[in-house]
Structures are given as structure tokens and as C-alpha cells.
Amino acid sequence: MQQTIFDNLSDGVLVIDAEGRIQEVNRRAETLFRKRKTELLHKNAWNTIPDIGDGKFQDEVQTAMSQGLVRIFEHFYPSMYVWHKIRVVPLPDDRAALIIADITEVARRQHTEAVREAVRNVVRQAPVAISIVRGPEHRFEVVNDMSRRLIGDRDLEGMLVRQALPELEGQGLFELLDEVYRTGEAYVGSEMPVTYDRTGEGEMVQGWFNVIYQPLYEADGRVSGVLSMSLDVTELVEERKAVEVQAARQRAILAQLDEGVVVADAEGHIRFINEQAQRMHGTARLGVGTDAYAREYQLFTESGEPYPDDQLPLARAVLHEETVSGVRWRVRRPDGSEVLLEGGARPVYADNGERLGAVVTMREV
């Protein structure tokens, strides 16, 4: 009767002596250690059962036996990839009963949750706005700190996207989420304009974002949500637009001058020719370098000799950082007509002293 009860316990039981020899084994222990009773009885436990010969397991058992106290601990078996909870109960005659419960599923869930929490912490602290929405209605599951800062630290988790951010309606973002969820295909957008409520109190602002919408899959291959990553590039876009506006204004001013203007970059390649200079030369060839000014624009000395490239005003300003004035040269236009020009050139520097290029101005003589 006792043997029947012993063999049908839900926990595994091993009885070992002071030398670690196995004296008794129940059926559950056979299952837990994946060995038959005949492979375990009268064998040294430390040498027979994998992953217990060294370290904590053996120390815990020997401590319980030497002190006569019950010890409880958990042990992981790498070779079997299982976790056991072991209760060591000292017995008379220098023996101990090891009562073993399989806690693998619980341990795996705890381990998985710990990994997920670590990932959540990384996501929360990431320097880009990250959010996760679930289901076809796009319910916020995760909203990281950077995302919250963009919208006045509002807590959106648990809310539907369309309810949480109604001001995005009509800007195409909801439709993009729908498409990614429906097709399972990621979307990447660059400098997308977005008008949104910064504080939740109606303070609408214009921003630009680089975005990635990545579908999230379940084990069976179904799309269950969308991971959104957004990088705020508003400052960069506004700076670039300001530079573009300033450049456009400068080009407009240069186009209206009575003098001809040609601008070269720091390497000497021509990057801008205003309308007057184009009319004077009869052409406008961009990208020409210092070694081809005379050939490409048909430039000659006042007496009609080919003008040495490195002696032209623009080349001197680029190559030698000279400021020159009162120089004359002759231009033979593509239609065969000629014009005598007079002008000068000077290098151009940034506020920090960096050389940006050079500019030459000219007028017809």
C-alpha cells in the first residue's frame, strides 16, 4: 500500500544516503530525470543525474543533511532545459529525501516576463518615439517616454489611436496603420509633415517626422499589431527650409543686378551664374572647374590670345585666395559674336573663417 502511494505521488522522490547513493526512487522521479529506476537505484546521484554534480544542488543537499534542517531551493538543468523545485528533508540513518516538483512552465513564464519587462524598459528609454498598437482598431499597448514628451506627457496606453489623437484625421496616418496591419508590409516615410496637438489642450503645431511602421506577428503568422518608430526631424527641416528661402532670395537679388555674377565652390566648380552673366557669355555651364574656364566659356585676353586658366580672376580667387579687380577679358559667344568684359573676383568665407568658394563680378566694356 505504501509503495503504491509512493509511486503515484505527483512529485518525484529520491532517497539518498550520506555518500549520495540513491536508495529509493518513485515513478515520478523516473519521469522527471528521464531515466529508468534500474538506471538510478544504488547509483551515485551526483554522477548519474545530469547537471547536479557540482555547485548549488550538491551543497544544498549536504547542508540539509549535516544540519538536520529542511532546505528548499530551485535548480535549472541546462541539458534538459527544465526547472525543478527541490525540498531536502533529512531522514534517520544519515539519509535524505529529495522531493522534486517540476516548475518549468512557471519558471519559463517568469523568465519570459522578465525578458519582456527588460525590452519594455529599453523601449521606454529609447531616444526615438516608439509605440505599439494592437488589433485592427489600433489600441495603444506601449507608449514610450519620448512619445509622451511629444504630446505633453499624456498617457495613451489602452486608448484607440483615432480616439487618442483625433487631430491626425485626414493626414493619412490612420490609413497607413490600416494598410500595414492589413497587408503585413512595413512602411518607411521620410520627413512626413504632421499637424498635432502638443499638449492635449488644442495647441496645434506643425512637425516633420521620419517614420517606420513595422507589423508585429503572432506565432501562427497573423499580424496582431504595429510597431511605430518616429524620429522628430522638425528642427532639421525648418533649418533647411530657412536656408533654401535665404538662398532663393539671394538668387533673386543676384538675378536682378546689372552686373554679371558667377559663383564657384571651394573646389572651384561653377555653381551659379546670374542672367546677366549668362547673357554676356551666351551660355551657362555649371560644374566647370578652374582648369576648364577658358575652354568651356571661350575666354581670351583683351588682345585675343587664349587666356591661361590659372590667370583668370575667378581662378586666382579660388586657387590663391586673391582679391583682384580691373581685369579685362574677351568672350567669344557660341553665335560667333564677341564682347569685352571687365571685372574682379574675391574669395568668400563663412563666419568661422572656412573658405566657401569665390565670386566674380563683371560688366561689359
Side-chain angles (χ1 to χ4, degrees):
M1 179 70 174
Q2 292 180 344
Q3 185 63 42
T4 301
I5 295 173
F6 179 71
D7 279 338
N8 288 278
L9 291 174
S10 59
D11 291 337
V13 179
L14 291 180
V15 177
I16 63 173
D17 62 18
E19 285 73 39
R21 287 189 298 269
I22 301 171
Q23 304 295 316
E24 296 182 48
V25 181
N26 74 345
R27 291 176 183 172
R28 181 58 176 161
E30 293 182 81
T31 301
L32 291 177
F33 292 116
R34 303 173 189 177
K35 290 181 177 293
R36 295 180 180 178
K37 188 173 184 177
T38 55
E39 298 177 272
L40 296 171
L41 272 178
H42 311 303
K43 303 289 179 62
N44 185 284
W46 319 131
N47 299 329
T48 305
I49 298 173
D51 306 319
I52 70 168
D54 298 311
K56 181 180 178 181
F57 193 109
Q58 189 171 352
D59 291 343
E60 291 283 357
V61 173
Q62 292 175 342
T63 298
M65 295 177 71
S66 63
Q67 297 180 354
L69 299 174
V70 174
R71 304 279 291 188
I72 300 173
F73 64 95
E74 294 179 2
H75 187 72
F76 174 62
Y77 304 78
S79 63
M80 296 186 291
Y81 201 77
V82 295
W83 282 264
H84 289 169
K85 183 176 182 179
I86 297 100
R87 181 190 300 268
V88 185
V89 180
L91 300 175
D93 303 326
D94 293 327
R95 297 189 304 164
L98 278 57
I99 303 171
I100 305 154
D102 188 349
I103 60 169
T104 300
E105 290 305 316
V106 173
R108 284 178 180 172
R109 284 197 298 270
Q110 292 174 341
H111 177 72
T112 300
E113 185 55 36
V115 171
R116 286 178 177 171
E117 185 59 29
V119 171
R120 290 191 194 102
N121 288 332
V122 172
V123 169
R124 289 191 188 101
Q125 300 171 29
V128 297
I130 299 176
S131 63
I132 295 175
V133 295
R134 294 287 184 181
E137 73 281 7
H138 313 307
R139 187 179 299 276
F140 280 113
E141 180 180 278
V142 175
V143 180
N144 79 337
D145 294 344
M146 182 63 74
S147 295
R148 294 175 191 271
R149 285 197 288 271
L150 287 173
I151 54 174
D153 290 324
R154 284 179 285 162
D155 185 7
L156 305 184
E157 291 184 3
M159 300 178 66
L160 300 180
V161 168
R162 285 177 167 84
Q163 295 173 347
L165 303 168
E167 70 272 17
L168 301 185
E169 189 68 57
Q171 299 187 53
L173 298 177
F174 298 150
E175 291 75 12
L176 284 174
L177 284 174
D178 292 339
E179 185 71 8
V180 172
Y181 185 88
R182 183 182 65 82
T183 65
E185 296 180 3
Y187 173 83
V188 179
S190 178
E191 295 185 4
M192 295 178 61
V194 180
T195 301
Y196 64 101
D197 189 347
R198 174 172 285 172
T199 63
E201 299 178 356
E203 182 189 348
M204 304 300 291
V205 296
Q206 172 76 65
W208 284 266
F209 297 86
N210 292 344
V211 304
I212 298 176
Y213 291 156
Q214 182 69 42
L216 300 175
Y217 294 91
E218 293 298 306
D220 60 4
R222 291 182 301 107
V223 175
S224 63
V226 178
L227 169 69
S228 168
M229 292 182 286
S230 303
L231 178 63
D232 188 350
V233 293
T234 302
E235 185 175 342
L236 294 176
V237 171
E238 289 179 341
E239 288 179 356
R240 190 187 70 241
K241 287 181 178 292
V243 170
E244 290 172 351
V245 169
Q246 181 65 19
R249 289 173 178 168
Q250 292 175 349
R251 286 195 297 270
I253 293 171
L254 293 173
Q256 299 301 317
L257 294 177
D258 292 333
E259 291 185 318
V261 179
V262 178
V263 180
D265 61 22
E267 285 72 42
H269 298 104
I270 293 176
R271 298 304 180 193
F272 174 80
I273 304 173
N274 75 344
E275 292 181 9
Q276 292 291 356
Q278 182 175 346
R279 180 186 59 77
M280 294 173 187
H281 291 82
T283 186
R285 299 176 184 273
L286 299 179
V288 176
T290 55
D291 60 347
Y293 289 164
R295 181 179 71 253
E296 293 295 329
Y297 282 92
Q298 290 294 289
L299 307 181
F300 300 87
T301 64
E302 190 173 0
S303 61
E305 300 296 324
Y307 216 120
D309 287 307
D310 61 353
Q311 295 303 309
L312 286 164
L314 186 58
R316 290 166 63 183
V318 170
L319 299 175
H320 308 296
E321 300 186 47
E322 293 184 55
T323 298
V324 296
S325 61
V327 178
R328 291 188 174 187
W329 64 94
R330 189 176 297 277
V331 178
R332 186 172 299 157
R333 296 165 173 162
D335 63 4
S337 63
E338 293 188 2
V339 61
L340 183 63
L341 304 180
E342 181 179 277
R346 62 185 302 163
V348 178
Y349 299 94
D351 292 340
N352 62 2
E354 178 187 1
R355 186 164 62 87
L356 302 178
V359 58
V360 59
T361 59
M362 65 204 73
R363 62 180 179 82
E364 291 187 36
V365 178

